[in-house]
Amino acid sequence: MSNHLTHESEARMGQHQIAAAAAQPAAPELEAVEFEPLSRGALIARGALGAAALYGAIAAGPLVRRAFAQMGGGDVEILNFALTLEYLEAAFYERALDQVDLGSETTEFAETILGDENEHVAALEKTIKSLGGKPVTAPMVEFPFSDEAAFLKLAQTLEDTGVAAYDGAAPAIESKELLATAGSIVQVEARHAARIRLARNQPPAPNAFDPTLTQRQVLKAVAPFVKA
Amino acid sequence: MSGTTTPAEKDSALTRLTRDPISRRRFVAAAGGTTAISTLLVACGDDDDSGSRANSDDMSTTTEMSGSNDAIAQFGKGDVGILNYALTLEYIEDDFYRDVIGSGLFKGADLELIRSFGKDEAAHVAALTQTVRKLGAKPAPKPKTKFPLDDARSVLELAATVENLGAAAYLGQAPRIESDAVLAAALSIHAVEGRHAAALNTLTEQSFVPDGAFAKPADAATVLDSVQPFLVG
């Protein structure tokens, strides 16, 4: 991944904005991306989140965008983007099971979900290597959960975002075999989201058509959980 | 993995992952950033074929994997056939929820959930019908259906079976879809069917991820066989 590309990223975002980003994906003009002074947080996010290179390439303007386009935008980049999210999700459930006092029902499905995310990580790493690519390293993460309710709320946001991320990226996948695998994973992410929503007495399927997010929107949404 | 019990009847209903050869496709921009269905409806009104992954590679792939998917030919060629197949399944789901709501077997939160799922299926029917028309083809006819609605428990179990099958059906077709706009819409619907299935599995004390970490696809012949008992005339 080209994480040496010059770029800026918004490193901090309120949780409500993540939920909003997941629920109401905008249709951003690339030119309309806001530029902000490169903060220490942004530098940290850049270093930690390898896949942010794509976001950076877009934010840095037409010149870098063209350079990025020449990299081909191939399947390895998409898989590394997915891998970054899966790393994040796996770490999220691992920490929660370790640090938060969860009830027995929540513990049971959180363990199931953790197992699934770990399998997704392993499959993506293996696939990237088999394509001759280099898997991104796992980002250092930090999650603001103190109790079960906070955990469930954040879990819902992460899983809904995961569904939107896979569905947004999948049509750009070139290989049919990889597309089938991505479809197989996104259905499982959707099932996780529904299970967590039920536990929160939220509608399991809030939309007739699941919304999609661009990679840029997803990376922005998860940036608050990535640290040095 | 705890909490993952795989009902035997689900395994038999779903087939193994379709193993089609890797084929290169034209790079296209992802449809992300907007709802897939609006992209679909815009794209399908356009004669420009950019965003289509049809090419000679895909033609040969289609031929190779046509065996168990021959069942779809009756619905039309290419994406139209897949859309009409999906439309037929959505018609069945839509009818099912309408009958369940009318049965008086449910009230309160369960009824609310069933109503919301029914509304989703009706929205899918409308979108698929419109898309087939935009592609210049004729939408599949609405099948006549009949469902065993004996008691609340068996109806919820039937709903779970139908939704798991629906999710597997979309997954089975996704790699065969030629147009990126149609693919984006199908994936968007697919995730909703997966959500329905997981919720109903939970309500009927089955695993919300019965296939484990990777959902299994179902081919058209398997799916159509499975819904046959609910079709009349």
Side-chain angles (χ1 to χ4, degrees), chain A residues 26 112 120 160 174 184 191 208 212, chain B residues 2 24 33-34 124 164 195 213:
Chain A
T112 300
H120 296 166
D160 281 344
E174 295 175 26
S184 170
R191 288 170 178 271
T212 60
Chain B
S2 70
R24 300 287 299 174
T34 180
H124 297 166
N164 280 290
R195 287 171 182 268

Side-chain angles (χ1 to χ4, degrees), chain B residues 23 36 51 90 94 97 109 122 130 162 175-176 179 200:
Chain B
S23 92
E90 297 285 359
D94 186 31
Y97 285 113
Q130 203 181 342
V162 168
R176 309 179 74 238
S179 148
L200 290 162

Side-chain angles (χ1 to χ4, degrees), chain A residues 100-151:
Chain A
V100 186
D101 189 18
L102 304 174
S104 63
E105 187 187 315
T106 303
T107 300
E108 190 179 324
F109 71 68
E111 281 173 352
T112 300
I113 295 174
L114 172 59
D116 292 345
E117 310 300 9
N118 280 332
E119 286 192 54
H120 296 166
V121 165
L124 289 168
E125 285 176 340
K126 197 174 154 196
T127 307
I128 289 165
K129 282 182 193 150
S130 76
L131 292 172
K134 188 170 177 283
V136 289
T137 51
M140 301 287 285
V141 288
E142 193 169 53
F143 303 100
F145 42 46
S146 47
D147 57 14
E148 179 163 338
F151 157 73

Side-chain angles (χ1 to χ4, degrees), chain A residues 48-211:
Chain A
L49 198 59
L54 177 58
Y55 171 48
I58 291 165
L63 190 70
V64 180
R65 201 156 68 228
R66 273 198 299 277
F68 181 79
Q70 285 167 6
M71 290 165 51
D75 287 352
V76 168
E77 270 92 354
I78 295 172
L79 292 172
N80 263 327
F81 165 67
L83 177 59
T84 302
L85 282 184
E86 297 286 358
Y87 276 141
L88 192 89
E89 289 184 327
F92 173 76
Y93 291 103
E94 205 173 310
R95 302 268 174 96
L97 284 162
D98 193 41
Q99 297 168 6
V100 186
D101 189 18
L102 304 174
S104 63
E105 187 187 315
T106 303
T107 300
E108 190 179 324
F109 71 68
E111 281 173 352
T112 300
I113 295 174
L114 172 59
D116 292 345
E117 310 300 9
N118 280 332
E119 286 192 54
H120 296 166
V121 165
L124 289 168
E125 285 176 340
K126 197 174 154 196
T127 307
I128 289 165
K129 282 182 193 150
S130 76
L131 292 172
K134 188 170 177 283
V136 289
T137 51
M140 301 287 285
V141 288
E142 193 169 53
F143 303 100
F145 42 46
S146 47
D147 57 14
E148 179 163 338
F151 157 73
L152 287 172
K153 191 176 177 195
L154 197 47
Q156 176 181 316
T157 301
L158 278 182
E159 295 289 352
D160 281 344
T161 302
V163 175
Y166 273 98
D167 272 356
I173 296 175
E174 295 175 26
S175 143
K176 288 193 179 214
E177 193 174 54
L178 292 183
L179 176 59
T181 304
S184 170
I185 293 177
V186 72
Q187 188 189 117
V188 169
E189 302 291 339
R191 288 170 178 271
H192 293 169
R195 181 66 188 87
I196 292 158
R197 285 175 156 274
L198 274 188
R200 299 187 70 229
N201 289 317
Q202 296 288 312
N207 304 289
F209 302 92
D210 247 284

Side-chain angles (χ1 to χ4, degrees), chain B:
Chain B
M1 221 193 305
S2 70
T4 309
T5 50
T6 305
E9 73 274 12
K10 286 234 162 41
D11 259 348
S12 64
L14 304 177
T15 55
R16 292 170 53 231
L17 194 84
T18 307
R19 284 276 159 214
D20 56 322
I22 290 178
S23 92
R24 300 287 299 174
R25 287 190 264 153
R26 204 178 313 178
F27 175 76
V28 289
T34 180
T35 62
I37 203 71
S38 63
T39 308
L40 171 69
L41 294 173
V42 169
C44 289
D46 195 343
D47 283 334
D48 182 359
D49 74 347
S50 65
S52 164
R53 66 174 52 74
N55 58 37
S56 54
D57 281 355
D58 287 330
M59 298 291 281
S60 61
T61 302
T62 304
T63 311
E64 278 170 48
M65 63 181 293
S66 63
S68 55
N69 276 303
D70 273 347
I72 230 166
Q74 61 182 293
F75 297 99
K77 280 186 188 169
D79 286 355
V80 167
I82 293 171
L83 288 164
N84 268 333
Y85 161 66
L87 175 59
T88 303
L89 300 179
E90 297 285 359
Y91 268 136
I92 294 169
E93 290 185 329
D94 186 31
D95 261 9
F96 171 70
Y97 285 113
R98 193 168 294 119
D99 287 1
V100 171
I101 292 163
S103 72
L105 286 169
F106 295 92
K107 53 182 196 272
D110 285 350
L111 181 61
E112 203 181 311
L113 193 75
I114 287 162
R115 272 189 204 284
S116 80
F117 288 4
K119 271 166 89 174
D120 292 343
E121 310 305 359
H124 297 166
V125 165
L128 291 167
T129 303
Q130 203 181 342
T131 305
V132 172
R133 288 212 178 98
K134 286 221 174 205
L135 291 173
K138 199 169 164 242
K142 189 175 186 299
K144 286 199 174 64
T145 58
K146 186 167 171 53
F147 303 95
L149 305 175
D150 301 325
D151 59 88
R153 174 73 193 194
S154 69
V155 168
L156 279 183
E157 281 171 358
L158 180 56
T161 301
V162 168
E163 292 284 3
N164 280 290
L165 192 67
Y170 276 96
L171 186 53
Q173 296 309 313
R176 309 179 74 238
I177 294 173
E178 292 172 14
S179 148
D180 286 302
V182 173
L183 173 61
L187 287 170
S188 165
I189 296 176
H190 164 246
V192 173
E193 304 290 340
R195 287 171 182 268
H196 290 174
L200 290 162
N201 277 14
T202 302
L203 292 181
T204 52
E205 285 117 41
Q206 303 174 73
S207 170
F208 60 105
V209 282
D211 298 336
F214 302 93
K216 290 177 186 156
D219 66 48
T222 305
V223 172
L224 293 170
D225 273 357
S226 303
V227 299
Q228 198 58 45
F230 312 123
L231 301 178
V232 290

